[in-house]
Amino acid sequence: DTEVTQTPKHLVMGMTNKKSLKCEQHMGHRAMYWYKQKAKKPPELMFVYSYEKLSINESVPSRFSPECPNSSLLNLHLHALQPEDSALYLCASSQDYYNEQFFGPGTRLTVL
Amino acid sequence: GQQVMQIPQYQHVQEGEDFTTYCNSSTTLSNIQWYKQRPGGHPVFLIQLVKSGEVKKQKRLTFQFGEAKKNSSLHITATQTTDVGTYLCQGGSEKLVFGKGTKLTVNP
């Protein structure tokens, strides 16, 4: 299995909602990532988990809360988001931090 | 901080023409990865370069890593309409940093 899966594909939420994005990989990769991508921009790194521990937080606002329940799963919990948080949220995984990354299809998030 | 500059930002070519995109880093890189992102899609890994002066080929695509490990290029020979998309480089140093990408459009 060489896929990274993400759910949901699309999400519309209000500014007072709480929602979660999910990511899963079964390639035995030990590094997992959350990226945010706005239109016509490259992916912007948010968080990195290495061996199930948070190793990088790129000064992301606390309304985004990552979680890595086990080596295959990565969640991103969302609370009190702003309209400017609307974007494509990409999950990726790699064997180790400096290896090539495999991206999931992303969750298209709209905050109203 | 570490920066990866990628040029050009946009490139429009006629089908059959060649295409090149360049990445330049402000710091020496441990490695560089190249990805392709189709419109509406997600980045797909193409290649990783690790060694100084390394050249790798994938069919019509040629990837080079500079001798100083600060720059890299992706060259496509005889572009096809299936080559359209944004080509992204990702440099590894202290962190993994994406360039801004080069959007390629191909006129049939």
Side-chain angles (χ1 to χ4, degrees):
Chain A
D1 186 351
T2 57
E3 259 194 330
V4 176
T5 58
Q6 287 188 247
T7 55
K9 288 186 179 179
H10 300 274
L11 178 62
V12 180
M13 59 187 290
M15 290 189 284
T16 57
N17 292 158
K18 284 186 181 180
K19 296 286 184 183
S20 296
L21 308 185
K22 296 185 184 301
C23 174
E24 191 166 4
Q25 58 89 12
H26 293 288
M27 294 178 277
H29 289 171
R30 308 307 300 199
M32 295 186 76
Y33 311 76
W34 280 115
Y35 286 90
K36 173 183 177 180
Q37 188 175 29
K38 299 281 252 184
K40 300 182 181 181
K41 300 286 187 183
E44 179 185 338
L45 183 65
M46 300 175 72
F47 302 103
V48 180
Y49 273 83
S50 183
Y51 291 83
E52 301 168 46
K53 292 191 188 317
L54 183 63
S55 59
I56 296 177
N57 175 343
E58 290 286 1
S59 303
V60 179
S62 59
R63 57 186 184 269
F64 295 91
S65 175
E67 179 196 18
C68 188
N70 60 55
S71 59
S72 299
L73 293 173
L74 188 65
N75 298 323
L76 186 63
H77 303 297
L78 314 172
H79 173 55
L81 295 193
Q82 305 296 310
E84 58 264 29
D85 296 321
S86 299
L88 179 67
Y89 286 84
L90 293 162
C91 173
S93 71
S94 64
Q95 188 64 43
D96 255 311
Y97 179 62
Y98 279 107
N99 293 117
E100 61 270 25
Q101 296 176 358
F102 293 84
F103 284 80
T107 294
R108 178 79 54 189
L109 174 68
T110 303
V111 182
L112 301 177
Chain B
Q2 179 189 348
Q3 290 188 350
V4 175
M5 307 298 213
Q6 190 172 354
I7 56 169
Q9 192 173 355
Y10 301 97
Q11 185 76 60
H12 179 77
V13 299
Q14 288 292 126
E15 190 172 20
E17 291 182 339
D18 293 356
F19 158 76
T20 305
T21 174
Y22 301 90
C23 264
N24 295 290
S25 170
S26 55
T27 59
T28 302
L29 300 172
S30 303
N31 55 31
I32 192 159
Q33 287 70 242
W34 285 92
Y35 299 83
K36 177 183 178 181
Q37 187 170 17
R38 292 181 186 272
H42 58 276
V44 175
F45 172 73
L46 295 175
I47 206 89
Q48 182 184 57
L49 304 171
V50 178
K51 299 177 183 176
S52 167
E54 190 168 18
V55 178
K56 288 188 176 180
K57 294 191 176 186
Q58 288 180 352
K59 297 183 180 178
R60 294 179 295 104
L61 277 60
T62 302
F63 304 84
Q64 292 190 324
F65 202 7
E67 293 290 340
K69 299 183 74 172
K70 283 190 168 186
N71 55 71
S72 180
S73 64
L74 158 59
H75 179 81
I76 302 178
T77 304
T79 53
Q80 299 175 359
T81 54
T82 52
D83 294 325
V84 297
T86 297
Y87 292 85
L88 293 155
C89 63
Q90 182 191 49
S93 180
E94 303 164 10
K95 296 182 178 182
L96 291 169
V97 177
F98 274 103
K100 290 190 174 182
T102 297
K103 183 176 180 180
L104 173 65
T105 54
V106 179
N107 202 30

